[in-house]
Amino acid sequence: MLDAVLARIDDTLPESLERLMALLRIPSISTDPAYAEACQSAADWLVADLASFGIAAEKRATPGHPMVVGHVSGEGPHLLFYGHYDVQPVDPLELWDRDPFDPALEETPAGKVIRGRGASDDKGQLMTFVEACRAWAAKHGSLPCRITFLFEGEEESGSPSLVPFLEENAEELRADLALICDTGLFESRAPAIITMLRGLLGEEIVIRGPDKDLHSGMYGGPSINPIRVLTRALAGLHDDEGRVTVPGFYDGVPELSPELAAQWDALNFDAAGFLGGVGLSEPAGEAGRSALEMIWSRPTCEINGIVGGYTGEGFKTVLPAEARAKVSFRLVGTQDPAAIREAFRAQIRAALPADCTVEFHDHGASQASHMATDHPAFEAARGALAEEWQTPAAFAGCGGSIPIAGHFKKLLGMDSMLIGFGKDDDQIHSPNEKYDLESFHKGIRSWARILDAVSK
Amino acid sequence: MLDAVLARIDDTLPESLERLMALLRIPSISTDPAYAEACQSAADWLVADLASFGIAAEKRATPGHPMVVGHVSGEGPHLLFYGHYDVQPVDPLELWDRDPFDPALEETPAGKVIRGRGASDDKGQLMTFVEACRAWAAKHGSLPCRITFLFEGEEESGSPSLVPFLEENAEELRADLALICDTGLFESRAPAIITMLRGLLGEEIVIRGPDKDLHSGMYGGPSINPIRVLTRALAGLHDDEGRVTVPGFYDGVPELSPELAAQWDALNFDAAGFLGGVGLSEPAGEAGRSALEMIWSRPTCEINGIVGGYTGEGFKTVLPAEARAKVSFRLVGTQDPAAIREAFRAQIRAALPADCTVEFHDHGASQASHMATDHPAFEAARGALAEEWQTPAAFAGCGGSIPIAGHFKKLLGMDSMLIGFGKDDDQIHSPNEKYDLESFHKGIRSWARILDAVSK
C-alpha cells in the first residue's frame, strides 16, 4: 500500500512542483498591508487545492489575514496539520538574483533547488504534507486517518489572530496530535522530531542611584554609580563553572535520559563546525556539558542588552542616574518561570547598596515544552523518517521557542510533532531563499511514510 | 595703603558694575560662528578697558577668537592673571526670564544679583581682578607687582588655540605664578584656593566574541556572550571595600598631610547636603574615607558608559557580537597614567575567556596637578582671603580637571592659584545665569588684599 503511494509521489513530482510554483507566485507578504489581497489569493488557492483531491476546506476570516481550515474524516488517530502560507518581505530586493515571486528550479553544485520567497518558509514545507495526502488519496480514494488542516496567514507577522482563533474554534480543531512542518533537518542531513522546546523568561532591570546624571569629577568617589552596581549584580548571576546562581534555578531541570542521550550521541553533532560557523572555537557555558546538551536541554541565563551613561563618540565623564539591562532565561524541564522570576528579582535587590533602587519590567514567560513521546505516534514517525532518510532519526530538542506548539498544548491540550526538511543554507527571511528539491521530494515521501506508520 | 584701595573699591562699586554691564551686553558666544564679531568686540572692549588705567594691552589674533594680552611692569613677583571673555550659548532662550544680553541688577530674597549670560562665567569673575587693579592704580599710580593679563575667547569651545598660543608666546607669558579666576566659593560661603586637581585617564573597551549577533535560542549556552564577559571584567575592577583592584593603582597616592586634613576639617563640609542635593544619603566609594577626601584627594575608577545587545523597546533575545564600555580613572598624587593604563588593559585581557578579543581606545590621560604651596604667595593669599571673608580659607582640592592649570604647568612651568567667588546656584551654562553682587564686590576686595599680601 505504502509502496504504491511512494511510487505515485515519485511519478508525479513534476506536477507537485508545478503546484508549489503556482503558490510561490502569489506574493503573500503578511506584514505589508499592500499585499493583503495576495494573502487572500493564497488562502483561496489552498482551499481550491485541498478541494481538488476531496478535502472539504474553507477560508475563515480573522481580524487579519484568513485561516484555511479543512477536514477529512477517517479511522485511527486524529491529526492536525499546521503550516503557514504567508511569507517574509523581500527587501533588500537588489540582493536577489531573480524576482522573488517568479520562482524557478535551478541547478546548483549541490543539486536542484527551488528558488523563490517562501520556497522553504513555509510554502514548500506546507506542500510536502499536502502532496503526500494527495498521493495517498489518489491511490486509496481516502486518507489513512482523520486529518484537520490549519493554514495560517500571519506567522511572519507575530500571529495576532491565532490565539483568539484557536480559542473560538477549540472544539473543531482539537485533535490527538499536531504535525508542524516549519523546522529543519538536523545539520541539513538527518531527520529529527523536535520534542523538547526550551521556555523563555524575559526581565528588564533598571537600577537608579542619584536623581540626575552627575559629573564624575565633582561626584566621583562618594556617589554611587548605577552602572557599577548593575555590572556587579549581573556578574553575580553565574558562578565560575558557568552555572546560574539564582537560588532554586535548577529545581525541575532533569538530567538527560540514557535513551535520549544515546539518540543524541548517534546524531554525531559537529560542535566544532557549529561554533566555527560563528567565529568561536570552544563551548562556553556550563562546565562539563556538551554543546548540544546545552542548547537543547540545559537552562541558561543571558544578558541580551545593557545600556547606561554615555555611549556615543568620544568620552563624557558622566555618572549616570540609571543603568538598564535585559536578561533572559531559557528554561527546561519543569522549571517554574514565576518562581525563577521572583528569585532573580530578590537576588538583584539583595545586591543593591544604599541609595539604589531597582525597577523590574516583565517581558513575558513561557515554560519549557516536553512532548509526551510515549504516545506511539512518536516512535512510529521516528522509524518512518529513519526509513526514508536511511539514517537514524532522533527526538531532538530546540533551543528556541516555537510558539505554535505551546498554543496547541495550552489551548487545545495536544502535543506536537515538529518535523521539517529545511536546510541550514535555505536563507529563509533573506534574499535568494531556496528549498532543495530533495527536501521537497523526500519531504513528501516522509509524510506518506509517517501517515502510514501512525495509522497502523 | 590697602585700606585706601579697599575704600576706593567700595566707593566706586557703581561704576565697576556699569563697566561689567557693558561687557555683559556683548554677546561673545564662542561656539557659534554667528557671534564671531561679538567676540572681537569683547576683546576690543577689554583692550580699551585695560588701557584706560594704564595697562599696555593688545588684541592678538589666533586661528579662532583673539587673545587679549596686557603687561604692566613692577617690582616683586610676576603674576599672570587668566580669565575668559567668551560665554556659553543661551538656548533654551525661552527659559530665560530676561534677554541674556540685557543684564540687570536684580533684587532677590538672597540679596542683589547681576543677571545675564557670562555674569559669573567668566566676565564677572574676570572683572573682579581688573577692578582691583584699577582701584590700586588709582590710589597708587602703579600696581604693586609685575602683572601679565591673559584673556581667552575660546574657553567655552574647548580652547583650540590656547596651547599653540602658549607655546608660541612662552617667553612673553611665563610668570612666577598664575592666578585663575574661574572657580567658586566652597559651599557658596568660604574662600578657597584650589591647589590639587585630579588627573584623568579615559579608556574605552570593546569586547568581541562571535563574529555576528546570534539568537540566544539557537546559540545560548555554548556560545560566549560578550556582555557577560564585559560585566564580569568590570565588576572585578573594585573589591568589596570599594578599592580599585588594578595592580599598582595606589602607587603614588599620598595620604593627606595633617595640616591639610585640619584645613579641610575646618571647612565643615556638609556631606549630607552635598549628597542629598542629588538624591543620595550615604557616601559610597572607598570604605573609611570621607566624602570630601574622596572627591579631592582619592583616585577613582568609574564606568561612564556601557552598551551592548538590544537596548530598544521590548525584548530581543540576541547574543551580541560585541559589548562596549567607557571607563575613566581620576588620578591623584604622582599616579602614573601610562602605567595604570597598561595595568588596566592587562587586567581586562586576563579576564577574557577563550574566543573573546578586546580592543582598547585611548581617550587621553593627564596626571594630577599639585601646586607647590610652599611658595609664600599661597599662604599670603590664603590669609588675605580669610581676612576679607572673615572665615578660614583652605587649600582645597578639585575633583574635576581644569585644563588651563595643567597647560600653565606643562608649557610655562608655573603653578596656579585657582581662586574664584562663584556660588553653586549661579546657573552657569544654564538659563538665568547670575553673579551675586556680594561675589563681585568682595571678589574685587579679595584680589586687592591678595595683590597686597603677595607683593610684600
Side-chain angles (χ1 to χ4, degrees), chain A residues 50 53 55-57 68-72 78-83 126 129-130 133-134 143 147-151 172-173:
Chain A
L50 290 175
F53 62 96
I55 313 291
V68 171
V69 179
H71 296 286
V72 62
H78 179 190
L79 305 177
L80 178 139
F81 180 79
Y82 166 90
L126 180 158
F129 187 79
V130 172
C133 290
R134 188 192 323 270
L143 290 175
I147 299 176
T148 293
F149 297 81
L150 173 64
F151 302 148
E172 177 187 351
L173 296 172

Side-chain angles (χ1 to χ4, degrees), chain A residues 41-272:
Chain A
S41 299
D44 290 335
W45 189 95
L46 285 165
V47 167
D49 193 60
L50 290 175
S52 73
F53 62 96
I55 313 291
E58 56 183 11
K59 189 168 73 169
R60 304 273 282 270
T62 75
H65 304 303
M67 301 279 178
V68 171
V69 179
H71 296 286
V72 62
S73 56
E75 298 301 304
H78 179 190
L79 305 177
L80 178 139
F81 180 79
Y82 166 90
H84 64 90
Y85 65 77
D86 63 319
V87 299
Q88 280 275 318
V90 295
D91 43 86
L93 190 57
E94 64 274 15
L95 296 185
W96 283 81
D97 294 328
R98 60 179 302 115
D99 178 345
F101 296 110
D102 176 24
L105 192 66
E106 292 180 1
E107 293 279 356
T108 77
K112 290 182 179 171
V113 305
I114 305 157
R115 184 85 64 189
R117 172 56 88 220
S120 176
D121 183 18
D122 182 50
K123 289 173 175 173
Q125 303 241 58
L126 180 158
M127 289 303 289
T128 57
F129 187 79
V130 172
E131 293 297 340
C133 290
R134 188 192 323 270
W136 196 287
K139 277 290 156 195
H140 299 289
S142 68
L143 290 175
C145 60
R146 182 178 165 196
I147 299 176
T148 293
F149 297 81
L150 173 64
F151 302 148
E152 185 193 359
E154 300 182 328
E155 201 271 349
E156 303 292 4
S157 50
S159 299
S161 307
L162 181 67
V163 167
F165 190 82
L166 293 181
E167 284 170 340
E168 283 160 28
N169 301 281
E171 282 313 306
E172 177 187 351
L173 296 172
R174 185 173 293 120
D176 297 322
L177 202 64
L179 308 176
I180 300 174
C181 191
D182 198 14
T183 53
L185 296 167
F186 179 76
E187 291 188 332
S188 300
R189 60 176 171 80
I193 304 173
I194 291 172
T195 62
M196 297 164 64
L197 293 160
R198 288 198 289 190
L200 182 61
L201 166 62
E203 281 277 282
E204 183 164 2
I205 62 183
V206 187
I207 290 181
R208 297 195 171 89
D211 62 14
K212 55 179 77 72
D213 284 3
L214 304 178
H215 187 277
S216 81
M218 196 157 167
Y219 286 91
S223 299
I224 195 76
N225 178 342
I227 305 180
R228 262 175 67 184
V229 175
L230 180 63
T231 55
R232 214 172 158 88
L234 294 176
L237 288 172
H238 293 85
D239 66 16
D240 290 342
E241 301 295 302
R243 285 172 63 89
V244 178
T245 59
V246 173
F249 183 73
Y250 290 94
D251 293 353
V253 175
E255 285 299 322
L256 212 52
S257 71
E259 295 74 24
L260 212 48
Q263 283 186 32
W264 291 4
D265 278 347
L267 288 170
N268 284 316
F269 176 58
D270 177 14

Side-chain angles (χ1 to χ4, degrees), chain B residues 30-282:
Chain B
S30 59
T31 55
D32 187 340
Y35 295 90
E37 262 190 61
C39 290
Q40 294 284 342
S41 299
D44 290 335
W45 188 95
L46 285 165
V47 168
D49 193 59
L50 291 174
S52 73
F53 61 96
I55 314 290
E58 56 183 11
K59 191 168 72 169
R60 303 273 282 272
T62 75
H65 304 303
M67 301 279 178
V68 172
V69 179
H71 295 288
V72 62
S73 57
E75 299 300 306
H78 179 190
L79 305 177
L80 178 139
F81 179 80
Y82 165 90
H84 65 90
Y85 65 79
D86 63 319
V87 299
Q88 279 276 317
V90 296
D91 44 86
L93 191 57
E94 65 275 16
L95 295 186
W96 284 80
D97 294 328
R98 61 179 301 118
D99 178 346
F101 297 111
D102 176 24
L105 193 66
E106 292 180 1
E107 293 280 357
T108 77
K112 290 181 178 168
V113 305
I114 304 156
R115 184 84 63 189
R117 173 55 88 222
S120 176
D121 182 20
D122 182 47
K123 289 172 174 172
Q125 303 241 58
L126 179 158
M127 289 302 288
T128 56
F129 187 78
V130 173
E131 294 297 339
C133 291
R134 189 193 321 271
W136 195 285
K139 277 289 157 194
H140 299 289
S142 69
L143 290 174
C145 60
R146 183 177 165 197
I147 299 176
T148 294
F149 298 81
L150 172 65
F151 302 147
E152 183 192 2
E154 301 182 327
E155 201 272 348
E156 303 293 4
S157 50
S159 299
S161 307
L162 182 67
V163 167
F165 190 83
L166 293 181
E167 284 170 340
E168 283 160 28
N169 301 281
E171 283 314 306
E172 177 188 350
L173 296 172
R174 186 172 291 120
D176 297 321
L177 203 65
L179 307 176
I180 300 174
C181 191
D182 199 14
T183 54
L185 296 166
F186 178 77
E187 293 189 331
S188 301
R189 60 177 171 79
I193 304 172
I194 291 171
T195 62
M196 297 164 65
L197 293 160
R198 289 197 290 190
L200 182 62
L201 166 62
E203 280 278 282
E204 183 164 0
I205 61 183
V206 187
I207 291 182
R208 297 195 171 89
D211 61 16
K212 54 178 78 72
D213 284 2
L214 304 178
H215 187 278
S216 82
M218 198 157 167
Y219 287 90
S223 299
I224 196 73
N225 178 343
I227 305 181
R228 261 175 68 184
V229 176
L230 180 64
T231 55
R232 214 172 158 88
L234 294 176
L237 288 172
H238 293 87
D239 67 16
D240 290 341
E241 302 295 301
R243 285 172 63 91
V244 177
T245 59
V246 174
F249 183 73
Y250 290 95
D251 292 354
V253 177
E255 284 300 321
L256 211 53
S257 71
E259 296 73 25
L260 212 48
Q263 282 185 31
W264 291 5
D265 277 347
L267 287 171
N268 284 314
F269 176 57
D270 177 14
F274 174 77
L275 291 171
V278 295
L280 303 175
S281 69
E282 283 186 26

Side-chain angles (χ1 to χ4, degrees), chain A residues 2 5-6 9 79-82 124-133 136 144 147 178-183 193 381 384-385 388-389 417-421 435 439-455:
Chain A
L2 175 62
V5 175
L6 294 176
I9 288 169
L79 305 177
L80 178 139
F81 180 79
Y82 166 90
Q125 303 241 58
L126 180 158
M127 289 303 289
T128 57
F129 187 79
V130 172
E131 293 297 340
C133 290
W136 196 287
I147 299 176
L179 308 176
I180 300 174
C181 191
D182 198 14
T183 53
I193 304 173
L385 286 167
E388 174 61 29
W389 293 81
M417 290 207 298
L418 295 118
I419 298 169
F421 312 100
Y435 195 47
S439 294
F440 187 58
H441 186 187
K442 291 174 82 71
I444 300 170
R445 289 173 55 97
S446 295
W447 284 120
R449 289 183 187 273
I450 291 169
L451 286 175
D452 180 60
V454 304
S455 305

Side-chain angles (χ1 to χ4, degrees), chain A residues 166-408:
Chain A
L166 293 181
E167 284 170 340
E168 283 160 28
N169 301 281
E171 282 313 306
E172 177 187 351
L173 296 172
R174 185 173 293 120
D176 297 322
L177 202 64
L179 308 176
I180 300 174
C181 191
D182 198 14
T183 53
L185 296 167
F186 179 76
E187 291 188 332
S188 300
R189 60 176 171 80
I193 304 173
I194 291 172
T195 62
M196 297 164 64
L197 293 160
R198 288 198 289 190
L200 182 61
L201 166 62
E203 281 277 282
E204 183 164 2
I205 62 183
V206 187
I207 290 181
R208 297 195 171 89
D211 62 14
K212 55 179 77 72
D213 284 3
L214 304 178
H215 187 277
S216 81
M218 196 157 167
Y219 286 91
S223 299
I224 195 76
N225 178 342
I227 305 180
R228 262 175 67 184
V229 175
L230 180 63
T231 55
R232 214 172 158 88
L234 294 176
L237 288 172
H238 293 85
D239 66 16
D240 290 342
E241 301 295 302
R243 285 172 63 89
V244 178
T245 59
V246 173
F249 183 73
Y250 290 94
D251 293 353
V253 175
E255 285 299 322
L256 212 52
S257 71
E259 295 74 24
L260 212 48
Q263 283 186 32
W264 291 4
D265 278 347
L267 288 170
N268 284 316
F269 176 58
D270 177 14
F274 175 77
L275 291 172
V278 294
L280 302 175
S281 68
E282 283 187 27
E286 281 182 275
R289 302 281 178 181
S290 77
L292 195 64
E293 190 183 1
M294 281 194 272
I295 299 168
W296 283 356
S297 69
R298 297 297 300 176
T300 65
C301 166
E302 292 291 355
I303 308 161
N304 302 110
I306 190 166
V307 66
Y310 180 71
T311 60
E313 283 299 300
F315 214 92
K316 282 191 190 172
T317 53
V318 64
L319 295 185
E322 65 172 48
R324 299 171 169 263
K326 297 183 202 269
V327 178
S328 67
F329 299 86
R330 297 276 171 185
L331 306 179
V332 303
T334 57
Q335 279 182 297
D336 176 359
I340 289 171
R341 191 189 296 282
E342 275 321 299
F344 166 73
R345 292 182 174 188
Q347 177 163 336
I348 297 293
R349 280 192 199 100
L352 293 184
D355 292 329
C356 278
T357 61
V358 61
E359 184 181 302
F360 295 98
H361 297 268
D362 175 339
H363 282 285
S366 62
Q367 257 196 304
S369 297
H370 284 238
M371 307 307 162
T373 53
D374 48 354
H375 188 295
F378 280 87
E379 276 301 344
R382 191 161 81 91
L385 286 167
E387 193 71 23
E388 174 61 29
W389 293 81
Q390 293 292 302
T391 183
F395 292 151
C398 175
S401 59
I402 300 182
I404 183 73
H407 296 322
F408 285 160

